[in-house]
Amino acid sequence: MDTENYKDLLGCIRALVFDVDGVMTDGMVTVFPTGEFVRRMNVKDGFALQLAARRGLKIIIITGGRDDSILTRFNRLGITDIVLNSTSKLEKLLEYRDGYGIPLEDMLYMGDDVPDIDPMKAVGLPCCPADACQDVLSVAKYVSPLPGGAGCVRDVVEQVLKAQGKWYGEDFEGFNA
């Protein structure tokens, strides 16, 4: 991983694209006897995502997960570009590129497993949590020192915002981390 190279890219990022399970979560689910299950997500990730959206960055969630709790979580954060049950994450990424007119080289994608490799290869700044699978680690230009669900999202979002001079400067009331 070329640390200087990834830092040079932070200032150009206009869209932040994330997988959910293994990135926003630790990849573990609690399964109840009814068959329902729950994920745990990091509130610091939520704060950073809200701030990035307020600062004008597009936040896009593309996941193979199908549970409505994903929609609930991100809608409460004000994020509406959410794709559930994705069978082709690259296809969805290209749709957002075309819809928003944001070049792929101006996008950051953070994933942790094999379905994330193609979209990671397509964007300007592929990132992953520390505990991503080996195939993903080999594709990433930046590997967060934090594992999935433990602040890796906050790590990359904060770096982008700081590189763009957008981390401070606004009243922080009204956040729903």
Side-chain angles (χ1 to χ4, degrees):
M1 175 176 54
D2 182 352
T3 303
E4 291 308 309
N5 183 32
Y6 99 85
K7 288 186 177 185
D8 291 341
L9 301 172
L10 295 172
C12 300
I13 298 301
R14 295 172 45 205
L16 304 165
V17 187
F18 297 96
D19 178 29
V20 174
D21 292 320
V23 173
M24 301 279 186
T25 75
D26 63 5
M28 304 296 282
V29 293
T30 301
V31 182
F32 293 100
T34 61
E36 292 182 275
F37 61 89
V38 295
R39 296 170 170 88
R40 289 177 1 133
M41 295 189 187
N42 190 301
V43 295
K44 291 179 182 175
D45 290 349
F47 172 80
L49 290 169
Q50 286 181 85
L51 183 59
R54 286 187 183 190
R55 299 287 200 246
L57 295 171
K58 288 290 179 199
I59 308 297
I60 301 166
I61 308 297
I62 303 175
T63 180
R66 298 181 286 270
D67 191 77
D68 285 342
S69 65
I70 297 168
L71 292 174
T72 302
R73 166 69 173 151
F74 294 111
N75 286 164
R76 285 183 182 165
L77 297 175
I79 298 167
T80 57
D81 291 317
I82 306 163
V83 178
L84 300 179
N85 200 22
S86 178
T87 57
S88 175
K89 293 181 178 189
L90 179 59
E91 182 180 308
K92 293 301 179 185
L93 180 71
L94 296 174
E95 288 176 18
Y96 280 109
R97 174 203 61 192
D98 296 343
Y100 286 123
I102 299 174
L104 291 171
E105 55 268 13
D106 293 347
M107 293 185 181
L108 175 153
Y109 186 102
M110 183 175 248
D112 73 305
D113 211 343
V114 174
D116 300 306
I117 292 173
D118 287 340
M120 287 177 70
K121 286 181 176 179
V123 300
L125 184 50
C127 302
C128 68
D131 60 344
C133 75
Q134 187 58 48
D135 293 326
V136 168
L137 289 165
S138 69
V139 172
K141 287 185 181 175
Y142 175 69
V143 178
S144 174
L146 302 168
C152 64
V153 171
R154 165 72 175 252
D155 173 38
V156 296
V157 173
E158 186 173 331
Q159 287 191 60
V160 169
L161 292 174
K162 284 181 175 179
Q164 296 180 7
K166 298 177 179 179
W167 182 243
Y168 295 111
E170 180 183 322
D171 182 13
F172 293 125
E173 286 185 36
F175 280 81
N176 296 310

